[in-house]
Amino acid sequence: MSEKKEQPSAGFPQAGAVTVSDVQELIRRKEEIEAQIKAYYDVLESQKDIGMNQPLVDCEGYPRSDVDLYQVRTARHNIICLQNDHKAVMKQVEDALHQLHARDKEKQARDMAEAHEEAVSCNLGQSQALAPPQAFAKVNSISPGSPASLAGLQVDDEIVEFGSVNTQNFQSLQNIGSVVQHSEGKPLNVTVTRRGEKHQLRLVPTRWAGKGLLGCNIIPLQR
């Protein structure tokens, strides 16, 4: 039996870089060491089953002649070294499994967080899609026979969309005034909510007998 034996790989695996293959290699190394230890114990057993602790001298203090002392000493020495190697490899296996487990937990936590964010985003998008658009202005007076009256606008209609003006870009009534001035004689799509129902109207800013191009008064809504 040769005294030469492999030493465990130093620093393997690297922290944070352990893989399943690394763990499998460590387990293979552990089993290899265990097989070598068993082989050396078989040597001791073949030498009168002398074991690790029985004396190598006879009752008179002379070296025993019934066993191969060199083989026994070599086997005992290698068993001790291999047991130390085995302990080191087992520690590496334990550390590697902890790293794998911790990384799996982190990945699971990340996956759950991403799934939660996706669900929240999806629900938010659905809520926004289902929620009616918010009104930004209100009609508080209409003159009979005016373009606003002819278009079907009514007092207390809440304006959701007025041409290109909507809740997202509305800043002041000047936005509506600018659209009206640039749309004289051209139809504007106006969306209003009236008693909870949405209505689509076509309003044509036109010069008429009264003031302005609409003949109605619009005030901003305070939300």
Side-chain angles (χ1 to χ4, degrees):
M1 181 71 68
S2 171
E3 288 188 66
K4 292 184 65 178
K5 58 187 181 64
E6 298 178 16
Q7 297 296 321
S9 301
F12 175 80
Q14 294 294 324
V18 64
T19 65
V20 173
S21 296
D22 293 332
V23 176
Q24 290 173 338
E25 174 61 22
L26 286 171
I27 292 174
R28 185 200 65 78
R29 175 67 183 132
K30 175 186 79 73
E31 292 173 348
E32 181 182 287
I33 292 172
E34 290 170 350
Q36 290 177 334
I37 291 173
K38 182 181 183 304
Y40 284 119
Y41 269 115
D42 288 344
V43 170
L44 296 181
E45 186 177 351
S46 71
Q47 297 294 317
K48 306 290 186 181
D49 200 12
I50 195 168
M52 292 290 290
N53 301 311
Q54 287 189 31
L56 299 183
V57 294
D58 58 22
C59 59
E60 296 179 358
Y62 293 102
R64 289 177 58 170
S65 60
D66 60 334
V67 295
D68 186 328
L69 296 179
Y70 176 79
Q71 271 200 342
V72 172
R73 289 194 180 101
T74 299
R76 286 179 173 180
H77 171 77
N78 287 342
I79 286 172
I80 291 171
C81 292
L82 286 166
Q83 285 175 335
N84 290 333
D85 291 349
H86 186 268
K87 183 177 180 181
V89 170
M90 287 300 295
K91 180 66 167 60
Q92 288 180 331
V93 170
E94 182 182 356
D95 291 345
L97 289 174
H98 279 317
Q99 288 180 41
L100 279 180
H101 182 63
R103 196 166 62 200
D104 286 345
K105 285 184 68 176
E106 289 175 4
K107 183 179 183 301
Q108 185 179 25
R110 284 197 305 269
D111 290 345
M112 289 182 64
E114 289 173 4
H116 177 71
E117 289 177 7
E118 186 176 343
V120 169
S121 176
C122 181
N123 290 336
L124 181 60
Q126 289 178 345
S127 299
Q128 290 175 340
L130 295 173
Q134 292 292 310
F136 57 87
K138 180 179 179 180
V139 179
N140 73 338
S141 69
I142 296 180
S143 300
S146 65
S149 177
L150 295 175
L153 274 176
Q154 297 182 14
V155 174
D156 292 333
D157 279 354
E158 294 188 350
I159 299 173
V160 173
E161 187 177 11
F162 193 100
S164 60
V165 182
N166 54 44
T167 306
Q168 280 69 40
N169 60 23
F170 175 76
Q171 295 178 332
S172 70
L173 293 178
Q174 289 181 352
N175 301 131
I176 294 178
S178 176
V179 169
V180 171
Q181 292 298 323
H182 289 86
S183 302
E184 183 176 353
K186 302 174 185 176
L188 288 173
N189 290 322
V190 178
T191 304
V192 300
T193 55
R194 182 183 302 159
R195 293 183 289 277
E197 294 182 357
K198 186 166 71 172
H199 296 267
Q200 300 277 356
L201 307 174
R202 289 176 68 82
L203 172 60
V204 182
T206 310
R207 297 190 181 277
W208 64 294
K211 289 179 60 178
L213 298 175
L214 297 182
C216 68
N217 190 51
I218 297 172
I219 58 174
L221 279 176
Q222 301 297 326
R223 294 292 184 187

